[in-house]
Amino acid sequence: MTPEQISESAGPAERRLAGVALNPAAPVDVLLRLLASESAAVRMALTRDRALPGPVVDAVVAHPDRRTRGFFAENPYADPEQRARLVDDPEYHVRGRLAREPRAGGTCMPRPLPDRTVVRIIETYESDHLWELNRLVSPGLQRAMTTHPSAKVRCMGIGRLSWKSLTPDVQDALLADPDPEVRKSADESRRSYERLRDPDAVRESLPAHRCHAHTHLLMYGALAPDVVAAALPRHAWLIARNDSVPPETVALLAAHPDPKVRTRVATRPDLGPSERRALAVDPDPEVRLALSVHPALTEAERAAIDYEVEQGGPFLHSPPYDPELLPDREQIRALALSAHPLLRRRAAREPHLPADLVALLADDSDLGVRVLLGQNHPDAPAALLLRCFLEYTGCDRWHLTGHGNFPRAGLARFADDEDPAARRLALLDPGLPGDVADRLTRYPDPQVRADAARHPRLPQDRIAALLDDPELAHGAAANPALPVATMYALIAAVGQRAAS
């Protein structure tokens, strides 16, 4: 919980207790007393915004207040096995929060529930809880869903995967499944796919007006020549990647006056040599860039294209790692050694790059390559992570500081940096002098002040003074240097006021 959130929802005493709830030095007894607090803001900070020791988790799971259990259900800091203990909670509210992907918190990225817990959710939860479940299903479970022992899981697997992606053996097994709901879902999926691949059926089903069904059929359906001809004037972009479009139409689309259509055509895996040559010298830079990563091109052909890769764009964390969807080792090496930065970025996303490629990409000339390597590889070097933070200002910048290799010692040198985000780095240094931490509690940037209030080398008299500061009391109470006796005193003070 941020200081701003605390300020909006709680009074001064509650802000202090919410800070104590986040204090990493707070003993179990203090945490249990806070769990018994009448303040929802304090219980939320405790159960949603930090990792908890086992005895406190036991008390949270058994807590009588459904909101408190619900806070813990969406806690990104909690071990997924701990959150999984709420899978059979009697309250709809708690189950709904558990079935959602936990929110990201600080430098903590959400971790999915165990597969067995996801299976339990599929088997027992209300249908309106299942629509958000997609992001919780691991790649391994997703692959196994259509052959899973549970009929409800098999049904969900049929809905998640295209009929075409299933092997003939799996298709036959599902059509002959002992469970009638599975058989029904399988038959509906088969019929839907067959209609999608039948040009006459697509023509009959195609709505006259623009809608989701219209878009889907033009993008993925088998299109008869008359349907393609009718779509060309107004819907060229939709059919530009449709695999049923004949080569002569692909050639027309590659010369379409709209560069967005040509850009989409440039990504077709079946693009012919003549179309590739034409698009390689297209007047639009986005078209040339899209074509430059085409898998049929050689490195020499890529190098001959005049393309430009944006350096300042956002570089985001990759989807969950799935070893079965990765290129093989030779393909990954070829991507990492390519002269094209976008191909090297693809390689940099892989969390199991060998050490020699990690070292190579860590010194890459492309900022995107370096940032993606830092975000995704567990052995990203400390120097790379710090460099990425200082040079990259896009999404998830602060998440880099949560990497296990991110350096801490020596960051005090950034205490006077002009960039407030870089100045925050100084507050990660455990050796930061206390007088510098004190000075940073007065810095104009509110996040710098909040971080400084929590620094363990902040002088005790300054911590005590900040406990009465309307803005920084929350951070001061979360400071691990706060004496345990003070924690008890803050709790007792609230109890005395409540009793009077």
Side-chain angles (χ1 to χ4, degrees):
M1 175 178 286
T2 66
E4 292 79 10
Q5 290 172 315
I6 290 288
S7 297
E8 292 174 359
S9 62
E14 285 180 301
R15 289 197 291 274
R16 287 190 286 268
L17 291 191
V20 174
L22 299 180
N23 195 313
V28 168
D29 180 62
V30 165
L31 300 180
L32 290 174
R33 292 191 185 199
L34 294 172
L35 184 61
S37 168
E38 294 184 1
S39 167
V42 172
R43 296 198 307 274
M44 179 168 67
L46 174 68
T47 58
R48 194 191 68 175
D49 297 330
R50 61 163 293 166
L52 293 171
V56 181
V57 172
D58 293 341
V60 170
V61 172
H63 198 279
D65 177 49
R66 67 182 182 90
R67 292 178 302 170
T68 300
R69 302 195 306 277
F71 295 146
F72 186 69
E74 61 182 7
N75 184 340
Y77 302 91
D79 188 292
E81 291 284 355
Q82 294 177 331
R83 295 175 52 238
R85 294 174 60 182
L86 294 169
V87 68
D88 292 320
D89 194 277
E91 288 286 345
Y92 179 94
H93 169 87
V94 178
R95 297 194 301 274
R97 293 199 172 196
L98 184 66
R100 295 200 301 260
E101 180 182 41
R103 62 186 185 85
T107 59
C108 178
M109 296 301 291
R111 292 171 290 171
L113 293 166
D115 285 353
R116 68 178 186 281
T117 306
V118 175
V119 169
R120 180 68 176 168
I121 289 173
I122 294 170
E123 290 181 324
T124 62
Y125 277 29
E126 298 86 344
S127 59
D128 56 343
H129 280 158
L130 302 182
W131 71 276
E132 286 192 281
L133 196 60
N134 289 349
R135 290 171 293 184
L136 299 181
V137 179
S138 70
L141 178 58
Q142 178 166 320
R143 288 192 303 272
M145 289 181 84
T146 52
T147 58
H148 197 274
S150 169
K152 288 191 175 182
V153 176
R154 295 197 299 276
C155 272
M156 178 168 278
I158 293 169
R160 289 175 60 88
L161 301 172
S162 69
W163 188 253
K164 180 183 178 181
S165 69
L166 303 177
T167 65
D169 289 346
V170 172
Q171 291 176 351
D172 291 342
L174 291 171
L175 290 169
D177 196 276
D179 187 275
E181 289 300 318
V182 175
R183 294 198 303 273
K184 179 182 177 182
S185 294
D187 187 58
E188 290 175 351
S189 181
R190 176 184 63 83
R191 290 176 182 272
S192 177
Y193 175 72
E194 290 176 349
R195 288 193 299 270
L196 191 66
R197 304 315 301 169
D198 181 349
D200 292 332
V202 170
R203 183 193 295 107
E204 293 173 3
S205 303
L206 189 66
H209 58 285
R210 186 73 176 267
C211 62
H212 177 75
H214 179 271
T215 298
H216 179 77
L217 289 173
L218 288 184
M219 291 178 69
Y220 305 110
L223 306 181
D226 60 314
V227 175
V228 171
L232 272 173
R234 296 179 55 195
H235 304 299
W237 188 90
L238 294 178
I239 66 171
R241 273 187 58 91
N242 187 303
D243 59 12
S244 71
V245 171
E248 58 271 20
T249 303
V250 173
L252 291 175
L253 292 167
H256 196 278
D258 185 348
K260 292 182 179 179
V261 174
R262 302 197 304 275
T263 298
R264 189 160 171 80
V265 173
T267 65
R268 289 183 67 101
D270 61 348
L271 197 62
S274 60
E275 287 76 29
R276 294 200 300 268
R277 286 192 295 270
L279 294 174
V281 293
D282 193 279
D284 190 276
E286 293 298 322
V287 176
R288 299 195 302 272
L289 179 61
L291 192 279
S292 69
V293 294
H294 196 282
L297 296 181
T298 65
E299 281 292 298
E301 289 170 329
R302 294 187 209 286
I305 300 173
D306 179 20
Y307 64 83
E308 184 176 349
V309 176
E310 183 182 2
Q311 286 289 304
F315 310 114
L316 303 179
H317 288 270
S318 297
Y321 169 66
D322 185 354
E324 293 199 8
L325 298 181
L326 287 180
D328 60 34
R329 290 185 179 182
E330 292 185 4
Q331 291 173 319
I332 292 176
R333 185 165 292 275
L335 292 172
L337 297 178
S338 173
H340 200 301
L342 292 187
L343 297 183
R344 300 198 304 276
R345 288 182 189 182
R346 290 183 189 175
R349 290 177 179 270
E350 308 302 343
H352 292 279
L353 280 178
D356 64 319
L357 294 183
V358 172
L360 178 69
L361 297 182
D363 197 36
D364 197 276
S365 60
D366 180 72
L367 175 62
V369 172
R370 298 194 301 272
V371 171
L372 286 168
L373 183 69
Q375 288 178 333
N376 290 284
H377 204 286
D379 296 326
L384 166 72
L385 294 166
L386 180 57
R387 180 186 178 187
C388 287
F389 183 91
L390 295 175
E391 296 177 353
Y392 172 62
T393 58
C395 300
D396 291 342
R397 181 188 188 186
W398 193 254
H399 277 124
L400 289 164
T401 67
H403 193 292
N405 291 344
F406 196 90
R408 295 290 190 273
L411 295 181
R413 67 185 186 274
F414 295 106
D416 296 310
D417 198 281
E418 293 182 0
D419 178 7
R423 195 173 290 226
R424 288 182 69 193
L425 291 178
L427 294 159
L428 298 176
D429 189 338
L432 182 74
D435 62 323
V436 177
D438 188 331
R439 173 164 57 84
L440 291 178
T441 62
R442 299 171 173 85
Y443 184 72
D445 183 82
Q447 190 61 66
V448 172
R449 294 197 301 272
D451 289 353
R454 299 175 72 148
H455 197 279
R457 297 198 69 179
L458 189 65
Q460 285 291 327
D461 60 345
R462 183 59 176 158
I463 296 176
L466 291 180
L467 288 174
D468 292 322
D469 185 293
E471 176 197 14
L472 298 179
H474 177 261
N479 194 313
L482 184 74
V484 173
T486 303
M487 300 181 195
Y488 280 113
L490 293 174
I491 297 172
V494 172
Q496 291 169 0
R497 278 193 291 273
S500 61

